[in-house]
Amino acid sequence: MSGLPDHLDIHLIRILYLLLSEKNVSRVALKLNQPQPSISASLRKLRELTGDPLLVRGTRGMVPTQYGESLLQPAKRILDETERLFARKTAFSPQHEARTFHIAAPDYLDSQFLPNIVASVRRESPKSRIVLHGKGPDNDYLKLLADGELDIVIANWDDPPAHLHMSKLFEDEIACIMRADCPYALRTAPDAMTVEDYLSLPHVAPSQMLPGYSGVIESFLARQDMHRNVVVESAYFGMIPYMLTRSDLVLTTGRQFMRFYERNLPLKIFNVPIRFPTMRFYQLWHDRVHHAPEHKWLRELITATAKALVQNTW
């Protein structure tokens, strides 16, 4: 970059900021515990570098030039960023500090889990913000984590990327649920569903969450050379239980998610006659935030929320 010196001393930027703030060479010398001629020499050097007087005489002492005044905030930003750059990490004080946390999670989690995380953050770090992101096929979560646009992804992928950090949150048994008074539910006991029944019933399934990834249920069935009768795909998982109340559709997902809706809607849970693997939910994060105190705090909070949820449910 033309005109920029090869070695720009951060101390010179500090002198620039103080001169523009104090408008007095003697006071800057006292603040920095340096002789006045040294500060005067630095001012001359700054004038040479910028091609501007920076400070000129006014009616009541020195005043910044218009250009000098425009350098005040940029100089402060540089000093602040430099201080942060080399500051030693200190423990995060959630009650007093403010952070913004970005979490991506599917909406087929237990209906209490994300609200409980939000409640815990509000209680323990009231000055912080939390931004919940949905999951969809157009989102590149690996890139978003690496770029710092996401802090944590909560997921139940079969094979999470090996380069990400991971901690297990909870497991959920797979079951299915349908309208309690639909013809099949009225004539069949919750533990009497056959494999043929299960595969032939009209299913509603969530839309693909990741490019090329068909989900835990479909992936497992494909490995067993089985295919279920999916007649509806929905990107709005939270709406599916309400679809069930008005149709003959069947939803397969975690039993913990279903319990809330079975209690509050005219729905009935059935045991699945296929030995699906347990759904394992975990949080993933990138190495870039692995050692950050505030992110350690957030991950511990999420882990504790998941543990409390399991203890209260099972």
Side-chain angles (χ1 to χ4, degrees):
M1 201 181 298
S2 62
L4 190 66
D6 292 335
H7 302 286
L8 190 57
D9 187 354
I10 197 69
H11 183 61
L12 195 61
I13 296 176
R14 181 171 286 105
I15 291 172
L16 170 64
Y17 175 71
L18 288 173
L19 284 170
L20 295 172
S21 303
E22 298 291 337
K23 309 175 188 66
N24 186 288
V25 171
S26 299
R27 281 204 296 270
V28 173
L30 284 172
K31 273 182 175 274
L32 295 177
N33 194 28
Q34 290 187 351
Q36 185 172 322
S38 173
I39 302 301
S40 297
S42 295
L43 178 56
R44 285 194 299 273
K45 185 174 182 181
L46 286 164
R47 284 169 169 166
E48 291 173 9
L49 288 171
T50 61
D52 188 270
L54 299 176
L55 286 174
V56 294
R57 293 197 178 278
T59 55
R60 296 184 179 179
M62 303 290 282
V63 294
T65 62
Q66 183 175 341
Y67 180 69
E69 201 167 78
S70 74
L71 298 180
L72 184 63
Q73 287 307 311
K76 185 177 188 306
R77 280 197 298 273
I78 290 171
L79 293 172
D80 289 345
E81 291 298 327
T82 303
E83 186 174 339
R84 277 196 287 272
L85 185 65
F86 295 105
R88 294 182 64 85
K89 291 195 294 288
T90 57
F92 176 57
S93 176
Q95 280 291 330
H96 304 103
E97 296 185 50
R99 295 289 188 276
T100 297
F101 299 110
H102 291 265
I103 301 172
D107 63 350
Y108 53 82
L109 287 170
D110 182 282
S111 57
Q112 300 176 68
F113 184 49
L114 290 178
N116 285 358
I117 290 174
V118 171
S120 295
V121 172
R122 291 295 306 138
R123 182 176 60 253
E124 297 188 27
S125 186
K127 295 181 180 180
S128 291
R129 294 178 65 242
I130 188 163
V131 182
L132 297 176
H133 299 258
K135 291 182 65 180
D138 297 328
N139 296 77
D140 185 345
Y141 300 106
L142 302 184
K143 184 177 187 302
L144 293 172
L145 285 168
D147 291 348
E149 294 183 44
L150 284 178
D151 301 315
I152 287 175
V153 172
I154 295 173
N156 68 318
W157 300 334
D158 281 337
D159 188 21
H163 72 281
L164 295 178
H165 296 275
M166 179 183 78
S167 70
K168 180 180 167 184
L169 294 175
F170 57 84
E171 295 185 351
D172 201 0
E173 176 192 5
I174 290 177
C176 65
I177 190 168
M178 65 187 79
R179 199 177 81 235
D181 62 352
C182 73
Y184 183 85
L186 289 173
R187 69 173 184 264
T188 310
D191 59 353
M193 182 183 288
T194 67
V195 173
E196 292 74 17
D197 288 344
Y198 177 77
L199 295 177
S200 62
L201 284 166
H203 289 264
V204 54
S207 300
Q208 192 180 69
M209 287 289 158
L210 291 169
Y213 176 63
S214 55
V216 172
I217 306 300
E218 248 60 52
S219 298
F220 181 83
L221 289 174
R223 290 195 295 271
Q224 313 304 313
D225 293 322
M226 294 180 180
H227 180 76
R228 61 178 177 159
N229 180 28
V230 177
V231 298
V232 177
E233 289 188 18
S234 175
Y236 307 102
F237 197 93
M239 296 303 298
I240 292 178
Y242 301 95
M243 296 180 197
L244 302 182
T245 66
R246 302 186 179 198
S247 67
D248 59 348
L249 294 170
V250 177
L251 169 66
T252 303
T253 188
R255 186 180 292 271
Q256 190 168 318
F257 173 86
M258 297 178 187
R259 282 182 175 140
F260 172 82
Y261 292 99
E262 188 184 42
R263 287 195 301 267
N264 292 280
L265 295 174
L267 301 176
K268 183 178 179 181
I269 295 176
F270 281 74
N271 295 330
V272 177
I274 297 170
R275 293 177 63 86
F276 284 110
T278 302
M279 296 175 73
R280 293 179 174 86
F281 289 92
Y282 38 81
Q283 55 183 333
L284 297 165
W285 65 95
H286 196 272
D287 198 47
R288 64 184 301 282
V289 298
H290 183 60
H291 298 287
E294 63 268 34
H295 292 286
K296 286 183 179 180
W297 171 84
L298 178 64
R299 295 192 298 267
E300 289 169 1
L301 180 143
I302 291 173
T303 299
T305 302
K307 184 176 180 181
L309 184 68
V310 171
Q311 289 174 343
N312 292 335
T313 305
W314 289 318

